[in-house]
Amino acid sequence: MSLPVSEIVRDETRPGRSFLRPGAVTRKPSRQPSQKSGMTMGASKRKSFLILLAPAVLIYAAIIIFPIIFNTGLSLTKWSGFGEPKWVGFGQYAKILTDPVFLHGLRNNFLVVGVSVFGQIPVGFVLAYIIYRRMVETERFFEVMIFLPITISPVVVAILWNQIFSTSGVFTQLVRVIRDDPRYVFSIFENKQFAIVPILFVILWMYTGLYMVIFIANLQKIDPEVLESAKMDGASEWQILFRIIIPLMVNIIFTTSVFAITGSLKSFDLIFVFTGGGPAHYTEVVSIYMYLNTFRYYNYGLGAAVSMIIIVLSVGLIYMALGVYRYFASRYE
Amino acid sequence: MRKILLIGVALTAAVLMSVVVMGCQKKAESAAGGGQAGDKITLTMLEYQNVTDESEVAVWNTLLTEFKKENPNIELQIDPLFDEAYHNKLQAMAVADQLPDIMFLWPGKRTGAVTGSGKIKDLRPWLKGHESEFAQTAVAAQGPNGEIYELPEQVTATHVMFTNDKLLNELGLTYPKTLDELINQGQVIRDAGYIPIAMDNGGGWQMQSCFLSALAERTAGRDWIEKALTGEAKFTDPEFVDALKVIDTLAKNKMFSPGINQADYGQALTDFVTEKAVYFIDGGWRVTNLVTELSDDQKSYISLNVFPAVPNTKGQEESTSMVAGTGYGMNSKLEGARADAAWKWIWFYSGPVGSKIRQAEGALPAYNLPVPEDSDPMEKKLTSFIANTPAGYVIDAKFSQESMGVLQPALQEMTLGSLTPQQVGANFEKWIAENEPTRQ
């Protein structure tokens, strides 16, 4: 391939190596740019950058930065949507953090995060590994079956599972017949501590396939020769897994953890349709608490404060995951 | 590959172009239509409707056809929404000061933020002289100065104890006169494999609206509720706790449907219609479903009653709870011919013509109409029930939506055995004292 309009640039930081700067303007090597023309070029570039970036920055500011600033301000007020917002400082935060309903929702959220990070990711990885290493026959079949739930809308999934466990659902009716007890109901939903468990199970069932596919895609990037040579050197399956594959997967595990944490903290649709957060707030999560206060009770200030708490928690947990990632990354390096 | 890509791009572009062109054409057509019919008035309407409910849509279409026949110069641009989606949009539009010309409203606290914002017109100037044509409850004040923001389509009894008299007879029982008698029937009914009282409380509002409100009228009464609004009476008072105790006693004696707090709304109706339950507590609006769900034979032995007498009655005996129904209101910005056109719809819907159409489909209109001879037996029973039953307030029509977010889950916890009636009363009183606007 000829390079008529590109310039071979010497990378001065790495002697002996060069790289292409595509699209760079061809210059005659003999002509050195003057200080003045260099400044003109810089100013022109800055202008180009500004023109090119401005629309994107404006849109980003309008739909991301402005709402965040507005939301932060709103969280310090009491406002029902009408009239002037009343300044209450951190009053909304104090109210939220002492509200047992919020604290129970937060506890449920941490359980969702837990089942996502320590359930979906490990199980997804194990399934991906089994399929990648062809430890089962008809691995394509399993791959499709495990991935299938993620292709269904969470609302549909929630309705389906609700139909199974509801007081008139398949599971309940079946047990009533088997036990000859017409008053039997799946009473775990009536237990404050454990009502969230069936939902955790459904979340695990639904999203594990997504992580499995991500892991399979990344496992397939590993050079098979590396594994073959490891085998020839006498490495066992465990050694291949822990000494070669997991170290290569650390960054992917971190990325999936970020997905799992952020996705879990804003989890809403599935739980809202499944139980609506009830009975008696037993299965409520923070996002449902925010929704009810904002859109049913019109406490915009309180809703804004809850969303700020969700952001802070998300960032905090992601930084924790980053810390863990760095520890393992440095260890494997 | 490149060819396929090019064909794909061309097809997508063609589809997009045709959508844009069609859209432009439609816009041009509607603009031309508006221009041609000189005095044609177009009104926007936010409509509360479950478009998946075939019977509801059928009644709606009949109403619209009739209205268009009567008012060919009024065009309604309808935006139908249902449940939370409706309320969210209405609230957002009110906040943005972009309310439609006509909207569906509640008489109480459900749309209280919107009706109380000053953005809804008081309908009294138009209604003047017609008040006596409506049931008294229907034209009660909706605003602090007696304003009427929406013209109620019906009067709703939120508590009815539907009874399967045939099952009662088969079990050798009669309709109980007291709470104790009812509880004593429980074992007999359960042993026969039936549910004593079918009720679903998954949403939480059913226990409050369809039962506690009627019980509070018995043990406390209207005056007490008025006092509780201002703080003269407290929810820790025996008057209110006694009402809670009735529910607690029934729950402890396994009188309700199993898993009552998990059951979606509609489950109890199914159990009652399929004759798995002897009693069924719900609102009078369930008659519309019973008209279509029950066989002619069943309609002969299903009766409408109120809950039996409870201990410590201080309010009205044998009473239910009643509230003026929903209806249409108009944007306060409407003036002159546009306001008159909006009123035409409001009056059409809740007045004699619309009420007659709705009555023929099983509704009990707030507008006084004679019950047609050929009306369904269940409708006749409901009309008689409403006419002969004294009524108290519905709690959620007097107190804020947010306070119901405290009371209703507490009722669920009480029926699950986690809270006592005294604790429910205390929790509710604490919240009301700190937050309810009428107490501030």
Side-chain angles (χ1 to χ4, degrees), chain B residues 1 50 62 85 108 141 144 183 188 206 223 257-258 273 277 326 345 352-353 381 416 435 437 439:
Chain B
M1 187 65 196
N50 181 1
T62 313
I183 287 169
V188 180
Q206 296 94 333
D223 292 344
S257 300
V273 169
T326 45
W345 166 259
V353 183
K381 286 178 189 179
L416 290 170
N435 302 286
R439 291 272 188 104

Side-chain angles (χ1 to χ4, degrees), chain B residues 86 102 127 156 180 203 213 242 273 300 312 353 355 357 366 382 387 389 400 414 420 427:
Chain B
Y86 177 86
I102 303 170
L127 187 64
T156 310
D180 289 340
S213 294
D242 283 342
V273 169
S300 67
N312 306 323
V353 183
S355 295
I357 295 170
L382 180 62
T389 312
S400 64
M414 186 179 74
T420 63
N427 290 353

Side-chain angles (χ1 to χ4, degrees), chain B residues 143-181:
Chain B
N145 304 310
E147 294 93 338
I148 291 185
Y149 297 117
E150 56 95 1
L151 190 57
E153 55 180 326
Q154 61 192 6
V155 173
T156 310
T158 65
H159 165 80
V160 180
M161 187 140 158
F162 298 94
T163 308
N164 187 325
D165 293 330
K166 187 180 152 202
L167 280 184
L168 263 189
N169 287 336
E170 280 175 11
L171 296 169
L173 304 169
T174 55
Y175 191 77
K177 287 190 176 61
T178 63
L179 174 66
D180 289 340
E181 263 185 60

Side-chain angles (χ1 to χ4, degrees), chain A residues 71-317:
Chain A
N71 192 72
T72 311
L74 194 62
S75 72
L76 305 173
T77 67
K78 189 176 180 183
W79 191 48
S80 68
F82 295 100
E84 291 292 314
K86 187 181 158 196
W87 178 265
V88 291
F90 287 95
Q92 300 286 20
Y93 291 92
K95 192 176 171 184
I96 293 164
L97 295 171
T98 52
D99 184 352
V101 175
F102 172 80
L103 296 175
H104 187 75
L106 190 63
R107 170 250 191 202
N108 283 344
N109 253 124
F110 278 124
L111 288 173
V112 175
V113 172
V115 90
S116 300
V117 176
F118 303 108
Q120 288 164 6
I121 293 174
V123 175
F125 181 80
V126 168
L127 292 171
Y129 188 74
I130 289 169
I131 287 166
Y132 170 67
R133 299 290 291 156
R134 300 184 184 207
M135 292 175 179
V136 284
E137 297 282 324
T138 61
E139 70 274 7
R140 283 275 168 216
F141 169 76
F142 287 107
E143 201 177 322
V144 171
M145 290 310 289
I146 297 164
F147 185 68
L148 216 52
I150 196 70
T151 63
I152 310 169
S153 153
V155 173
V156 177
V157 167
I159 293 170
L160 285 174
W161 282 97
N162 185 30
Q163 291 297 311
I164 293 170
F165 290 125
S166 77
T167 51
S168 57
V170 179
F171 177 81
T172 313
Q173 296 299 333
L174 205 66
V175 177
R176 280 180 184 177
V177 171
I178 293 166
R179 290 172 53 167
D180 192 24
D181 177 5
R183 290 188 69 83
Y184 171 82
V185 285
F186 194 46
S187 57
I188 195 167
F189 284 112
E190 296 178 355
N191 183 306
K192 190 172 184 176
Q193 303 308 322
F194 298 108
I196 193 75
V197 171
I199 295 171
L200 297 178
F201 168 75
V202 174
I203 289 172
L204 183 66
W205 170 82
M206 187 170 173
Y207 292 105
T208 299
L210 176 71
Y211 295 111
M212 181 196 76
V213 167
I214 294 172
F215 283 123
I216 286 178
N218 283 282
L219 284 168
Q220 281 166 347
K221 282 185 192 165
I222 297 172
D223 190 349
E225 284 179 14
V226 174
L227 302 182
E228 273 169 35
S229 46
K231 261 192 167 179
M232 284 171 72
D233 288 343
S236 68
E237 195 65 39
W238 288 111
Q239 282 172 322
I240 289 173
L241 175 64
F242 287 106
R243 298 285 170 86
I244 299 171
I245 290 176
I246 288 186
L248 287 170
M249 288 281 120
V250 168
N251 57 341
I252 305 302
I253 292 171
F254 169 69
T255 311
T256 50
S257 301
V258 172
F259 284 159
I261 291 166
T262 51
S264 303
L265 280 173
K266 66 182 176 67
S267 58
F268 176 83
D269 42 9
L270 190 138
I271 303 173
F272 192 70
V273 178
F274 202 152
T275 62
H281 304 296
Y282 287 178
T283 57
E284 199 162 295
V285 286
V286 174
S287 55
I288 295 180
Y289 179 85
M290 178 177 73
Y291 170 81
L292 292 177
N293 277 290
T294 313
F295 298 112
R296 193 172 287 176
Y297 310 142
Y298 307 123
N299 286 330
Y300 291 99
L302 194 129
V306 177
S307 70
M308 294 305 294
I309 292 172
I310 292 177
I311 291 171
V312 169
L313 277 173
S314 292
V315 173
L317 286 170

Side-chain angles (χ1 to χ4, degrees), chain B residues 215-413:
Chain B
L215 291 173
E217 173 55 28
R218 309 279 185 89
T219 59
R222 275 177 177 247
D223 292 344
W224 186 91
I225 296 278
E226 294 285 358
K227 285 179 185 167
L229 274 167
T230 57
E232 285 177 68
K234 297 197 177 345
F235 288 97
T236 45
D237 293 349
E239 283 87 345
F240 187 71
V241 174
D242 283 342
L244 295 169
K245 278 181 184 169
V246 174
I247 298 173
D248 187 47
T249 309
L250 290 168
K252 281 185 175 143
N253 284 283
K254 296 180 183 172
M255 296 298 287
F256 293 123
S257 300
I260 177 175
N261 292 305
Q262 296 180 42
D264 291 329
Y265 192 52
Q267 179 58 45
L269 174 75
T270 308
D271 288 339
F272 186 69
V273 169
T274 53
E275 305 205 4
K276 288 181 187 165
V278 176
Y279 304 108
F280 165 46
I281 292 179
D282 208 317
W285 54 84
R286 275 304 190 197
V287 165
T288 316
N289 300 90
L290 295 176
V291 165
T292 53
E293 299 293 330
L294 294 177
S295 66
D296 289 344
D297 184 38
Q298 281 179 310
K299 284 174 189 173
S300 67
Y301 56 77
I302 300 294
S303 62
L304 276 63
N305 304 287
V306 287
F307 193 76
V310 299
N312 306 323
T313 296
K314 288 176 184 162
Q316 300 182 88
E317 289 178 351
E318 297 185 356
S319 55
T320 180
S321 45
M322 223 179 269
V323 68
T326 45
Y328 292 91
M330 70 168 99
N331 193 323
S332 61
K333 287 179 184 169
L334 292 186
E335 295 296 343
R338 289 178 64 76
D340 289 338
W343 170 253
K344 273 184 182 166
W345 166 259
I346 295 167
W347 179 252
F348 170 84
Y349 185 81
S350 297
V353 183
S355 295
K356 202 166 183 184
I357 295 170
R358 290 183 293 107
Q359 189 188 47
E361 303 298 332
L364 184 71
Y367 191 84
N368 294 325
L369 284 176
V371 184
E373 283 299 315
D374 60 344
S375 65
D376 190 275
M378 294 309 295
E379 288 166 23
K380 286 182 183 165
K381 286 178 189 179
L382 180 62
T383 308
S384 166
F385 178 89
I386 299 270
N388 301 312
T389 312
Y393 290 129
V394 181
I395 295 173
D396 65 14
K398 303 302 285 181
F399 294 88
S400 64
Q401 270 286 305
E402 196 178 356
S403 72
M404 292 304 106
V406 177
L407 177 63
Q408 290 168 181
L411 288 173
Q412 287 184 320
E413 286 209 74

